[in-house]
Amino acid sequence: SITGDELKAGQSYHWEATIDVPLIYQYCDYIVYGTMTVVFTNQDPWSVNYGSGRVCDDEAQVTINGETSTVKLPLSY
């Protein structure tokens, strides 16, 4: 897992990202395959799906509380 501490808008918090399915770059600027879960101390966890077709793009699917949105990469925690 990967951990970090952030200070945004005057508030400090901690996050931990766990790779669920290996992340693959495949000669692209962004991850093209794999999934991870990000757990925060100050907000609900994220499930991040970078895709399964190995398409070289700057998008991922983020699910928070059962609601999925398409986001542009890189992700900002």
Side-chain angles (χ1 to χ4, degrees):
S1 68
I2 305 162
T3 61
D5 293 300
E6 300 281 336
L7 178 61
K8 290 190 179 179
Q11 188 171 42
S12 176
Y13 65 94
H14 180 80
W15 56 267
E16 181 175 357
T18 303
I19 297 170
D20 303 312
V21 175
L23 306 178
I24 298 174
Y25 280 87
Q26 187 175 314
Y27 308 107
C28 299
D29 291 336
Y30 303 103
I31 299 167
V32 297
Y33 180 89
T35 63
M36 71 179 195
T37 302
V38 185
V39 177
F40 301 89
T41 56
N42 70 335
Q43 62 182 309
D44 294 324
W46 298 1
S47 175
V48 184
N49 184 338
Y50 291 97
S52 58
R54 299 185 184 196
V55 175
C56 196
D57 63 18
D58 64 345
E59 294 183 348
Q61 301 291 317
V62 175
T63 303
I64 304 169
N65 287 330
E67 210 170 298
T68 302
S69 301
T70 300
V71 296
K72 294 288 185 181
L73 301 173
L75 287 175
S76 293
Y77 299 160

